[in-house]
């Protein structure tokens, strides 16, 4: 089965530097980086590029695989980068710009906590053998196999959709009434569309949750894939 690998702290992320003759080329570099894929087995799963457009103008391009950090981690990384930048840019060296202490917990401790938590709460763990659960677990843990197109071909593809400001506002208000994020009603609508298209109701979608509700000190300062998914079967 797939495993996580913890790299030694002595390793340092490589940073690429490039001087651009025009600021207009930044968008091209972003598009090029977006088109580059990550191989999960190849280190690092975080790429950093500094694009210089003028002696005092630089753009930091950060591209990370979702395997190494959740959405909260992306915001956390942004805040820490800005704080570090402010400290370096503060020529006066004010005391209030001191580097914060390291987090009191590590991601390794979080993984260990999940491994040894109450068996009654741990996902996919039970005090007895369940043939149905074992069969589901074997299928769940198997490597992903891309399905073959049905008769007539059709192939695979992706499509994008943009919601206007009015509809987005109504979705946010709807989510607020049930204490959820905007993603919840969008996911429910997607489920209903799939159910109508396929004629099947036994569809399972994943709703991401933070995973930061454990009692680890400074868990809000940990960078990592703490988010997990809860399987949902919304009512049609």
């Amino acid at each position: 089965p797939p495993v996580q690998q913890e790299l030694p702290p002595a390793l340092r992320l490589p940073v690429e530097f490039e001087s651009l003759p025009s600021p207009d080329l930044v968008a091209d570099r972003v598009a090029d980086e977006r088109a580059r894929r990550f191989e999960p087995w190849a280190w690092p799963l975080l790429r950093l590029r500094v694009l210089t457009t003028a002696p005092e103008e630089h753009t930091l391009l950060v591209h990370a695989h979702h395997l190494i950090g959740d959405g909260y981690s992306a915001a956390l990384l942004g805040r820490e980068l800005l704080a570090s930048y402010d400290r370096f840019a503060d020529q006066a060296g004010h005391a209030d710009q001191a580097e914060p202490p390291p987090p009191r917990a590590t991601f390794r401790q979080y993984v260990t906590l999940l491994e040894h938590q109450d068996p009654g709460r741990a996902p996919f763990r039970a005090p007895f053998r369940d043939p149905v659960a074992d069969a589901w677990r074997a299928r769940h843990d198997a490597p992903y196999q891309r399905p073959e197109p049905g008769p007539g071909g059709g192939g695979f593809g992706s499509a994008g959709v943009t919601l206007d400001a009015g509809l987005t506002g109504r979705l946010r208000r709807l989510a607020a009434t049930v204490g959820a994020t905007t993603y919840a009603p969008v996911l429910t609508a997607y489920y209903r569309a799939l159910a109508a298209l396929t004629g099947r109701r036994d569809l399972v979608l994943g709703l991401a949750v933070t995973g930061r509700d454990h009692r680890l000190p400074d868990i809000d300062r940990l960078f990592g894939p703490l988010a997990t998914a809860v399987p949902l079967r919304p009512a049609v």
Side-chain angles (χ1 to χ4, degrees), residues 186-236:
V186 172
L187 193 67
T188 303
Y190 180 59
Y191 177 92
R192 293 186 175 183
L194 286 178
L197 180 66
T198 63
R200 299 179 57 183
R201 295 192 176 189
D202 187 23
L203 303 175
V204 181
L205 300 180
L207 178 65
V209 295
T210 67
R212 296 177 184 268
D213 52 350
H214 294 277
R215 294 182 179 179
L216 276 181
D218 294 338
I219 194 172
D220 58 318
R221 297 180 57 198
L222 294 183
F223 186 99
L226 281 80
T228 186
V230 177
L232 298 180
R233 286 189 175 92
V236 177

Side-chain angles (χ1 to χ4, degrees), residues 89-176:
D90 185 8
Q91 300 298 328
H94 294 157
D96 58 358
Q97 295 291 331
E99 185 173 352
R104 291 171 293 171
T106 65
F107 186 74
R108 170 186 280 272
Q109 290 174 316
Y110 170 75
V111 175
T112 303
L113 177 65
L114 294 184
E115 183 69 18
H116 296 90
Q117 65 181 350
D118 180 7
R121 294 182 51 202
F124 316 131
R125 294 179 182 273
F128 56 88
R129 302 292 295 182
D130 183 346
V132 176
D134 289 344
W136 183 93
R137 187 182 304 110
R139 182 167 61 90
H140 176 271
D141 292 340
Y144 174 74
Q145 298 291 334
R146 194 173 190 176
E148 296 295 332
F156 298 91
S158 61
V161 60
T162 301
L163 306 181
D164 60 46
L167 180 56
T168 301
R170 292 195 294 274
L171 285 170
R172 287 175 174 170
R173 290 192 293 271
L174 176 61

Side-chain angles (χ1 to χ4, degrees), residues 22-165:
S22 171
D24 298 334
L25 295 177
V26 172
D28 295 336
R29 296 298 187 271
V30 172
D32 293 342
E33 181 60 39
R34 183 182 292 116
R36 295 176 62 190
R37 62 174 294 167
F38 286 99
E39 296 295 347
W41 47 264
W43 178 84
L45 296 183
L46 174 65
R47 290 198 287 261
L48 302 171
R49 300 177 66 186
V50 176
L51 307 175
T52 300
T53 55
E56 300 295 331
E57 294 291 337
H58 312 276
T59 298
L60 175 63
L61 183 58
V62 182
H63 190 186
H65 197 295
H66 202 50
L67 281 173
I68 66 170
D70 53 15
Y72 184 94
S73 296
L76 178 65
L77 177 62
R79 291 197 301 268
E80 292 189 351
L81 285 173
L82 289 175
S84 298
Y85 181 84
D86 289 341
R87 288 197 300 272
F88 282 111
D90 185 8
Q91 300 298 328
H94 294 157
D96 58 358
Q97 295 291 331
E99 185 173 352
R104 291 171 293 171
T106 65
F107 186 74
R108 170 186 280 272
Q109 290 174 316
Y110 170 75
V111 175
T112 303
L113 177 65
L114 294 184
E115 183 69 18
H116 296 90
Q117 65 181 350
D118 180 7
R121 294 182 51 202
F124 316 131
R125 294 179 182 273
F128 56 88
R129 302 292 295 182
D130 183 346
V132 176
D134 289 344
W136 183 93
R137 187 182 304 110
R139 182 167 61 90
H140 176 271
D141 292 340
Y144 174 74
Q145 298 291 334
R146 194 173 190 176
E148 296 295 332
F156 298 91
S158 61
V161 60
T162 301
L163 306 181
D164 60 46

